Structure formats: structure tokens, C-alpha cells
Amino acid sequence: MNPNLAAYDRRSVLRATGAALVTGSLAGCTGADGGDGGSDYETVPDEEEPDYDGWLDATGSYDGTADLRGENEVEVAVGAGNRGTAFEPAAIMIDAGTTVVWRWTGAGGGHNVVEENEAFGIGEIVAEEGHTYEHVFEDPGTYRYVCTPHDAQGMRGAVAVEE
């Protein structure tokens, strides 16, 4: 085999690999952990968007508050996004009396759900796919919660409850 041809092939492979790595790295630069990009819910109109006081600023999966009013029970994925360190949807608006079920995806390691004032939550860190935690929201207001092991990665969520 021609040694120059072998070197050229090796360089070509290295160049192509480097380009692929750079492209893949840039694709993941969406802040914290981006969502899956395929939201299957409507968001509340801008004039109804709650003020989360910056709580969701570092949350890559937040793209507006999911309008889930009118439902008796809604689900939030725990361990969503590219790295499994997001809640999906990150923010929801529901009616008082609605049950929210957090369902673990099994991705991203162990997670928990802890409301900032401890009004609800499961402090235990769970990694098991299919695990659920549920809470019925009776009182109107805005509730902000976090996955404590992944707070630095922006794994935060919010529930806005209307009367």
C-alpha cells in the first residue's frame, strides 16, 4: 500500500471525525438540558404567562407554560431532554383540583421532585424508570420545584394553579 495514501486516509478520517464532534457539541449548546423539541401541548397566551421570577431562566427545556387546564390529571416527565436532566414540560398551568403525576423516564440518573417551600415533593432520589409521584393541587398559586441533584444543570419546574 502507498504510505502517502494511508496518511491521507488517516488525516481524512481524523478531519471528518473532528468536524462531526464539533457539530455534535454545537448541537447540544442550548443552555442547560434542552427538551426533545417535540412539544405536544399548547402554551398559554403571552398575556397569561406567569412570572416565575427567573426560576426557569437556566432551564433549557422551558419554552412557555403548557396549558393543561381542563384536565383532571396531567403528567410531567422526570429525566427528559438530551441528557435526562429536565422536566417536560418544565412549566404547566392547571386548574385547582388537578392531579399532577411526575413519571421517571429512567434517564439522567437519580432524580427527585422538591417544591422550594416543601409544600409537596419526594425528597428520595429515584432512578427507576416508571416510578411515579403524584400531588393534587387544591390551592391556586405558583409552585416552583427542583430536582436537587440536578439543580446546577437547570432541572427546575413550575406549576401554575388557577381557580
Side-chain angles (χ1 to χ4, degrees):
M1 179 172 190
N2 181 336
N4 292 331
L5 183 57
Y8 178 77
D9 289 342
R10 190 170 39 247
R11 279 193 298 269
S12 296
V13 169
L14 291 173
R15 239 190 322 267
T17 302
L21 289 172
V22 168
T23 302
S25 296
L26 291 176
C29 290
T30 59
D33 187 19
D36 62 10
S39 302
D40 59 349
Y41 50 82
E42 297 291 321
T43 57
V44 299
D46 288 343
E47 63 273 8
E48 294 181 40
E49 185 68 29
D51 180 7
Y52 298 114
D53 294 326
W55 181 258
L56 300 172
D57 288 355
T59 303
S61 63
Y62 173 65
D63 58 358
T65 300
D67 190 350
L68 302 177
R69 294 174 286 190
E71 302 291 328
N72 292 325
E73 183 176 288
V74 300
E75 191 169 293
V76 174
V78 179
N82 325 16
R83 297 178 212 117
T85 55
F87 293 108
E88 183 62 40
I92 62 174
M93 184 175 285
I94 60 173
D95 298 315
T98 302
T99 300
V100 176
V101 178
W102 286 267
R103 181 175 305 279
W104 274 244
T105 66
H111 304 289
N112 63 7
V113 174
V114 179
E115 198 271 339
E116 68 176 334
N117 298 310
E118 299 181 9
F120 65 87
I122 175 174
E124 173 189 5
I125 297 172
V126 178
E128 175 187 334
E129 179 181 0
H131 180 81
T132 61
Y133 166 74
E134 65 183 60
H135 180 78
V136 178
F137 286 86
E138 298 292 349
D139 299 320
T142 300
Y143 301 88
R144 304 183 313 184
Y145 63 92
V146 63
C147 168
T148 55
H150 298 111
D151 188 18
Q153 288 85 19
M155 191 168 177
R156 292 182 169 196
V159 178
V161 182
E162 290 195 336
E163 279 195 58

